[in-house]
Amino acid sequence: MQFWGYKRSEGRAGIRNHVLILPTCVCGSETARIVASQVRGAVNIVFNTGCSDVQANTDMSQKVLTGFACNPNVYGVVIIGLGCETVGHKPLREKIQAMTSKPVVSFGIQEEGGTLKTIEKAVRAAREMASEAGRQQKELCDISELLLGIECGGSDATSGIASNPAVGELSDLLVDLGASTMMSESIEWIGGEHVLAKRAATPEIHNQIIEVCRNYEEHLKAAGQDCRAGQPTPGNKAGGLSTLDEKSLGCIRKGGTRPIVEVLEQAARPTKKGAVVMDTAGFDISSITSMAAGGCNAIIFTTGRGTPTGNAIVPVLKVTANARTYKAMEDNMDVDLSAIISGEKTYKEMGRELVDVIHDVCNGRMTKAEAYGFSDIAVDHVCRFV
Amino acid sequence: MKINALIIDDTDNVVTCVDEVSAGSEVCYRKGDEILSLKALEDIPYCHKIALKDFSEGDEVIKYGEMIGRTNTAVKKGGWLWDKNVYSVPRDYDSELVEVTGGKN
């Protein structure tokens, strides 16, 4: 299988060709928003951190920022910094330039003499970059270039019974075609980690999966939080999910059945092809943020109760097997999988249909969240601000 | 009889209702080639679980062929199993680790 994508000098192909307006920290976010609003083809990130942080959080922010810049859906990057943040626009630009040959420019609001002067220069730079991006032709790319992120959020009992198994089937079919898929949300492996670990390609990976869960529980315990107190969420419970274990056993089905070839730290880029997993929060927006930073081209998102979320860099495709949710939130839902619940179709049949939908999204079909221009992000934190 | 509940694994002792079920009405599900039914003892909300057997306090609740928790009270066959009467049991991670032999990979 092939799709029409944008070839990159290094790494996998993109399915979009965005000019990314990237703030170094929260103080550049509003300026970045205005710059993006002035240039067709530009998208912006609203970054709510990046300064006054402990080192571990700064490291996470840097992984997300550089990961976003290197995402194959990004043609080029315009960085907007302030001037006194922990990692300024110049060091961030140099870090990104060491990782990718795509065009990267940067500006500092204090150096330029305020937001208006920064906007003037940054809009000009972004306009030129978008103009060049428009000249790049799509080329036929093998499906092995695709990395699909797999997410669930606002889950109810239909998620684990129907939409997650269908997406698991999609994942298996894509992996068999040579593509790669990434499942995350490690807190939602707890209770099903022994089942997930059976998919490990090696004994080392088996134990990594178990240890990721143990470490997650212990991390939260150190902060005085029982992981079973926050999970399932009130909405999950109302949707029929009684325990974290029940939620997890449904969640892990979205990753399919193929061997897990790599366990990644948050926002890290896979080094292997096939089915990989990433250690992220169960908080869906944060998990998508980390998967986009890890280089995913698109995210398929199963939901039971419905959610509008979207990401500026990667299209997020919403699927639900809850017929009521699809009907009530059709403006936010992309695919109706309720035929699985009604017994008209099997999850395997719907998984096969999803291959065509993902193929369409790769070829340029906009998801609903993408068409609305949604740009949610949340960077995971390990500690309070300083 | 209309199917209004789903069983996921043959060893499960609960089924998930895919319609609102009112007390006294029949819950029907397909298990293999058979169509089975039981009477709901109470109202069961959409997407929630109904007990296929009499649970004593502390019994394992099985869905997906795996334990999803234990009951904190007795629940009769046809009763509603939800977050107020099912609790999660902490994991024993040490027992889940496998032996790694030889070098890396």
Side-chain angles (χ1 to χ4, degrees):
Chain A
M1 184 182 272
Q2 291 179 306
F3 66 92
W4 289 99
Y6 298 94
K7 294 250 167 100
R8 303 294 179 211
S9 305
E10 59 274 310
R12 288 173 297 97
I15 63 169
R16 300 291 184 268
N17 211 29
H18 299 304
V19 171
L20 175 64
I21 317 297
L22 188 70
T24 56
C25 65
V26 60
C27 308
S29 284
E30 279 301 288
T31 305
R33 177 179 62 81
I34 294 167
V35 172
S37 72
Q38 289 295 302
V39 180
R40 182 171 294 182
V43 294
N44 71 292
I45 295 299
V46 177
F47 210 66
N48 69 343
T49 177
C51 202
S52 302
D53 231 337
V54 299
Q55 191 58 45
N57 289 347
T58 299
D59 292 347
M60 178 62 68
S61 292
Q62 289 295 301
K63 276 198 325 194
V64 168
L65 289 169
T66 55
F68 279 174
C70 292
N71 186 291
N73 291 356
V74 171
Y75 169 85
V77 189
V78 177
I79 300 170
I80 309 283
L82 178 59
C84 50
E85 65 273 46
T86 312
V87 180
H89 70 92
K90 279 182 199 156
L92 178 61
R93 186 186 71 217
E94 284 161 9
K95 207 182 280 188
I96 292 168
Q97 284 171 328
M99 296 165 78
T100 172
S101 64
K102 63 179 71 167
V104 187
V105 296
S106 72
F107 304 94
I109 294 168
Q110 289 168 354
E111 280 166 63
E112 300 299 338
T115 53
L116 296 189
K117 289 169 187 163
T118 308
I119 289 165
E120 183 190 347
K121 281 194 181 176
V123 165
R124 198 170 288 132
R127 183 198 68 206
E128 283 164 15
M129 214 178 265
S131 178
E132 286 302 308
R135 292 176 61 206
Q136 187 177 355
Q137 300 300 307
K138 283 186 174 185
E139 296 171 70
L140 270 179
C141 305
D142 189 75
I143 198 75
S144 60
E145 302 263 314
L146 176 70
L147 174 57
L148 178 71
I150 300 175
E151 182 63 43
C152 61
S155 296
D156 68 13
T158 65
S159 304
I161 295 171
S163 50
N164 287 345
V167 169
E169 177 71 9
L170 163 74
S171 176
D172 284 355
L173 293 168
L174 286 175
V175 168
D176 292 346
L177 287 166
S180 297
T181 64
M182 180 189 287
M183 180 176 78
S184 57
E185 301 182 286
S186 41
I187 195 171
E188 295 168 8
W189 306 345
I190 295 174
E193 78 284 353
H194 58 301
V195 178
L196 184 65
K198 286 180 192 154
R199 289 179 49 209
T202 67
E204 287 85 358
I205 290 171
H206 178 111
N207 288 351
Q208 278 179 310
I209 289 168
I210 305 295
E211 293 296 353
V212 159
C213 293
R214 187 209 304 266
N215 292 340
Y216 210 131
E217 273 209 50
E218 286 178 0
H219 175 87
L220 292 179
K221 212 177 282 171
Q225 173 81 33
D226 176 0
C227 69
R228 290 170 178 78
Q231 290 272 15
T233 65
N236 295 150
K237 288 177 183 171
L241 299 175
S242 307
T243 61
L244 175 57
D245 311 66
E246 182 180 11
K247 181 175 177 179
S248 295
L249 287 160
C251 277
I252 58 172
R253 300 195 65 180
K254 67 185 184 286
T257 63
R258 296 297 178 260
I260 295 168
V261 295
E262 194 167 20
V263 180
L264 294 161
E265 285 182 9
Q266 225 172 161
R269 183 166 295 212
T271 63
K272 299 208 164 114
K273 291 214 166 186
V276 303
V277 294
M278 182 182 271
D279 176 14
T280 75
F283 175 28
D284 43 12
I285 315 304
S286 171
S287 172
I288 290 175
T289 297
S290 293
M291 289 199 288
C296 285
N297 294 101
I299 307 278
I300 186 157
F301 190 121
T302 71
T303 182
R305 300 178 69 78
T307 161
T309 195
N311 180 283
I313 298 168
V314 299
V316 180
L317 184 87
K318 235 62 65 52
V319 303
T320 184
N322 184 323
R324 299 172 189 195
T325 297
Y326 186 84
K327 201 170 171 206
M329 287 182 64
E330 197 172 345
D331 288 329
N332 298 105
M333 298 295 111
D334 292 285
V335 183
D336 179 6
L337 298 176
S338 64
I340 302 169
I341 296 285
S342 64
E344 293 157 68
K345 286 185 183 171
T346 66
Y347 75 85
K348 290 197 176 218
E349 286 170 324
M350 297 257 41
R352 279 196 291 278
E353 290 182 22
L354 286 174
V355 174
D356 293 334
V357 179
I358 289 297
H359 191 218
D360 278 352
V361 170
C362 290
N363 283 333
R365 170 182 160 182
M366 277 200 193
T367 68
K368 286 177 181 169
E370 186 180 15
Y372 297 140
F374 288 170
S375 175
D376 291 327
I377 75 160
V379 180
D380 199 9
H381 270 60
V382 296
C383 185
R384 291 185 68 179
F385 292 117
V386 294
Chain B
M1 210 175 278
K2 187 177 179 287
I3 302 289
N4 57 358
L6 301 172
I7 191 165
I8 301 171
D9 187 277
D10 283 353
T11 62
D12 291 355
N13 54 25
V14 299
V15 289
T16 302
C17 300
V18 291
D19 255 329
E20 264 94 13
V21 170
S22 48
S25 66
E26 289 290 309
V27 171
C28 292
Y29 61 99
R30 189 178 284 122
K31 185 175 181 178
D33 295 332
E34 281 182 292
I35 294 192
L36 301 174
S37 71
L38 72 160
K39 194 182 283 286
L41 295 182
E42 54 192 317
D43 292 347
I44 316 275
Y46 175 58
C47 280
H48 279 248
K49 294 177 290 299
I50 185 167
L52 295 184
K53 64 155 206 167
D54 290 336
F55 284 83
S56 305
E57 183 183 336
D59 276 359
E60 291 189 356
V61 181
I62 308 289
K63 181 180 167 186
Y64 298 104
E66 299 285 338
M67 182 177 72
I68 62 165
R70 291 181 187 275
T71 46
N72 60 19
T73 181
V75 178
K76 289 246 179 263
K77 179 178 177 179
W80 177 23
L81 287 160
W82 58 311
D83 60 279
K84 295 291 184 284
N85 57 18
V86 183
Y87 67 93
S88 175
V89 180
R91 313 297 299 170
D92 177 9
Y93 292 117
D94 282 333
S95 71
E96 296 173 358
L97 296 172
V98 292
E99 199 177 331
V100 177
T101 51
K104 277 192 169 178
N105 291 327

